[in-house]
Amino acid sequence: MIFKSPFNEGLFLYLSFMTIHELYQIFLDFPLACTDTRAIAHNCIFFALKGDNFNGNTYASEALHKGAAYCIVDEKKYAISSNAILVDNVLETLQNLAAYHRKHCNAKIIGLTGSNGKTTTKELITAVLSKKFKTVATKGNLNNHIGVPLTLLSIKKDTEVAIVEMGANHLNEIAFLSHIAQPDYGYITNFGKAHLEGFGSVEGVVKGKSELYDYLISQSKFVCINADDPIQKNKLNGYNHTFGFSEIDGDYYQIKFLGADPFVYLAIENTAINSKLIGHYNFSNCCAAIAFGLYFKVPLWDIKSAVEAYEPINNRSQLLMQNGHKIILDAYNANPTSMRAALENFKSMKGKDKVLFLGDMFELGSAAEEEHQKIADLVSELNFKKVILIGTNFNKTNCGYVKFDSFDSLKEAIGSMVLANNTILIKGSRGMALERILTLL
């Protein structure tokens, strides 16, 4: 089993069948993989990964002392006991072991990617399918070249369905992750202006995210598409496992959008579903979960129960009431597409004295200045009056709004700003950590 990793250009890891087989036998006896000595579990296998600012090999002894059954290292001087297994490359050993395990497990795997809404959609699908099946899913947003293997290695003998989230900011990453995870089913949430610095353009985003569908089609596997997304509809014309609002022919789940003020309200087969998710932009995320539930023959009542019970956490479109303010906290991430959707939804919501706190959007590369100006222009078009822009890029925009080049600058000045009983949207990229604004209100 040989993979070329896009993360180590030109590097191939060659592992003999017996080497992987022997390591897999150890894994079957100790089926828990760990990469962080701060979270060592008894009898786990510790993979000593390397990063730009750390070398996991140096923690191998500590991992064993804390209870790891084995540690996998790739520097000979750290293979200090019979429980330390020396390999050529720890990361690629982890990836190859995960791919080998995937081939030998019985679970059906759903691959999931997209520019926005991946984690929310993953959690919704997991909630729905858990009503009928034993499931595992990506924890949090551990969706990269390390997180995907760890998710696969968390699949147990009795796992029936695994939902594997895949993230990427360059071409060929989703293709690489697809060959490791070998999904049976797949869904792309959307194609937006995210990670333009790595993908180069929106066209690059479409090409990169579509690598999941390319893999599934090449393997004659199941593809689920959003019929209301013109890119998906045109790219996969002829695939009839679809869902959406407008009627089309085929194996189709028609789901009606009934409103979002603030929570998404929808209906399927005359069954109303009241979610706890804010904004029209979460409608398609709910739809995907419903579509997979129906395909896997989860009773509609259970689908309704799962969607209605799910509540977002971790700064993802959370509705909070604080000191008289009604706050939508959407500070987990931001890009031009998700920012536009959030602003348009906020405009449509009922509420007086609306206030915007918008933070910089990251990983836009050379498009950063233009995209931030477009958002500032959109704010003006939507006629928002109370607007606070935070960050280096928003500070450069040509607009008449209050601007701060950093959170610290905002912190110093906010005491002089009159804020009482407002309806507030807080949105920015994760690096801006705008949830800190809550402590200032």
Side-chain angles (χ1 to χ4, degrees), residues 388-409:
I388 298 97
L389 304 178
I390 309 132
T392 303
N393 285 304
F394 268 132
N395 197 48
K396 295 177 182 177
T397 56
N398 181 20
C399 65
Y401 300 120
V402 177
K403 296 183 289 187
F404 299 96
D405 61 1
S406 68
F407 175 81
D408 288 338
S409 298

Side-chain angles (χ1 to χ4, degrees), residues 27 31-32 101-102 105-112 121-140 142 147-165 181 296:
F27 173 75
L32 183 61
H101 178 55
R102 191 273 172 267
C105 67
N106 296 319
K108 296 295 183 182
I109 293 182
I110 298 172
L112 181 69
T121 303
K122 176 259 299 182
E123 292 177 354
L124 283 166
I125 293 173
T126 302
V128 168
L129 296 186
S130 294
K131 290 289 187 177
K132 182 177 179 180
F133 303 99
K134 292 183 178 179
T135 66
V136 300
T138 301
K139 293 183 178 179
L142 299 177
V148 167
L150 290 174
T151 300
L152 294 172
L153 292 174
S154 72
I155 296 173
K156 307 301 181 186
K157 287 182 179 180
D158 61 350
T159 301
E160 296 173 286
V161 181
I163 302 92
V164 181
E165 182 181 333
F296 279 89

